[in-house]
Amino acid sequence: MIDPAGGEARNLDRGRQIRFLVTPTGVRVAYATVGQGPALVVPAAWIGHLEIGWQDPAMRAFFAPIAAWRTVVAYDKPGCGLSDPWPAPQSLDTDLEVLQAVTDHLELDRVDLLGLSMGAPVSLAFAARHPERVGRLIVYGGFADGRQVASAEVRGAMIELVRVHWGLGSDMLADIFLPDASAETKLRFVELQRRSATAELACELLAQVYELRVDDLLDRVVAPTLVLHRREDRAIPIGWDATWRRGSRGRGWCRSPAGATGSTSATPRRWSARSWSSSAPPRARCPPNRPVGPRPGSPHGSSRSRPWSPTA
């Protein structure tokens, strides 16, 4: 599907599948798979949309070289994109339930995680609480304490702006997340935000970002971990590496050139191919050109889920 040497997408859409699963709480969550090889799960970030986000050339270019080595599994956060709403305000426990539901549904006893932005603390917490289930972890543009993302005054102002004017709020966030991007790229990002979530949900989830704390779990993360962050990041300051290093055990830290938080314009092609190859301890594997999914009759399935099929 993809040329590992060139990292360019070749019929990347042909093998991409969007399906649904149901969490223990009873919420239907949309997930997508693309690529070949062992599964790499990408926990949901702040907001997103599996269909609209995939139309962004930068997003596709980011995942193309990864999909040459791994089957990338991504999903929409409850209430966002194609996923149904959560029945109560969401929290870290909600995120962990959804992530575990995805891995259970796909029968992944051991999995590698790629935590981008808000997906980083979720990945760290999952690795800390389920060390036996995480093989390796990459954290990119993330944080361990949401209070360090901005001052209390700035956090309150951003939440209020999103609450009263989602259009203006999404424009402001585009300037923060993509300061050096072209007008076209920012416009695409703004559209993605507005079509991914309502103003009410975006406000709720932004408040959740600022409240998230996993710094007390860092010393329990035993999986080999690579931490990547962009210098002069306007959305998430790089200063949290001190917190990370205090709880560090068997981890690597890398500062990449200045730019956007978790920017999909920073190609993983420059990252070590070993990060995507299968050199970690054994884990569930996904056959080439076959979507990840529970086998027919699997106890992980659900009457509301779309069943696995080799021809789907």
Side-chain angles (χ1 to χ4, degrees):
M1 296 172 60
I2 301 169
D3 178 9
E8 299 297 334
R10 290 184 177 176
N11 300 321
L12 193 59
D13 290 331
R14 186 164 54 189
R16 188 170 187 262
Q17 302 285 338
I18 295 180
R19 293 186 171 82
F20 296 85
L21 60 89
V22 177
T23 70
T25 301
V27 174
R28 193 177 73 152
V29 170
Y31 70 94
T33 59
V34 66
Q36 57 187 358
L40 178 69
V41 178
V42 185
W46 170 47
I47 58 177
H49 196 300
L50 290 176
E51 287 184 333
I52 298 173
W54 195 247
Q55 297 171 12
D56 184 352
M59 177 77 71
R60 296 155 65 91
F62 179 88
F63 283 111
I66 305 177
W69 301 93
R70 311 300 295 266
T71 297
V72 178
V73 181
Y75 55 91
D76 280 337
K77 197 175 180 72
C80 296
L82 304 177
S83 293
D84 290 348
W86 200 258
Q90 298 187 50
S91 65
L92 178 60
D93 288 336
T94 304
D95 295 324
L96 294 177
E97 177 182 329
V98 175
L99 175 54
Q100 182 166 348
V102 171
T103 57
D104 288 347
H105 180 76
L106 300 178
E107 299 182 329
L108 302 172
D109 296 328
R110 191 173 178 84
V111 68
D112 293 345
L113 299 174
L114 172 59
L116 307 173
S117 188
M118 184 182 176
V122 176
S123 299
L124 290 165
F126 189 84
R129 296 187 186 184
H130 305 280
E132 76 288 351
R133 298 198 63 176
V134 179
R136 288 181 295 180
L137 173 62
I138 294 179
V139 175
Y140 181 33
F143 58 93
D145 184 352
R147 299 172 306 171
Q148 296 181 6
V149 172
S151 67
E153 292 77 10
V154 172
R155 297 197 302 267
M158 287 303 306
I159 291 174
E160 186 62 19
L161 178 59
V162 170
R163 187 194 315 276
V164 301
H165 200 307
W166 183 208
L168 183 58
S170 60
D171 288 338
M172 177 69 72
L173 288 168
D175 288 335
I176 295 174
F177 281 106
L178 305 170
D180 302 320
S182 65
E184 180 183 1
T185 298
K186 289 183 179 180
L187 183 61
R188 187 182 298 114
F189 183 71
V190 166
E191 181 183 7
L192 170 63
Q193 290 182 102
R194 295 176 185 172
R195 295 181 63 182
S196 295
T198 63
E200 180 181 5
L201 180 63
C203 183
E204 173 194 326
L205 297 181
L206 184 58
Q208 183 195 356
V209 169
Y210 294 144
E211 294 167 1
L212 264 180
R213 290 195 64 182
V214 298
D215 50 318
D216 59 331
L217 300 176
L218 296 182
D219 60 353
R220 292 167 53 186
V221 178
V222 297
T225 304
L226 174 63
V227 182
L228 299 163
H229 210 98
R230 299 180 69 83
R231 290 190 297 270
E232 302 175 13
D233 191 324
R234 294 178 59 188
I236 300 177
I238 199 170
W240 78 281
D241 62 341
T243 303
W244 174 260
R245 286 169 177 169
R246 282 196 297 270
S248 176
R249 177 167 54 174
R251 305 174 183 99
W253 177 270
C254 176
R255 299 187 183 192
S256 58
T261 298
S263 172
T264 53
S265 63
T267 172
R269 193 183 311 170
R270 296 183 178 181
W271 303 355
S272 170
R274 190 173 183 274
S275 300
W276 314 123
S277 63
S278 178
S279 58
R283 64 182 69 79
R285 292 178 177 273
C286 313
N289 301 322
R290 178 185 294 180
V292 188
R295 295 185 297 272
S298 164
H300 296 292
S302 166
S303 59
R304 294 180 64 189
S305 302
R306 294 183 181 178
W308 178 90
S309 170
T311 59

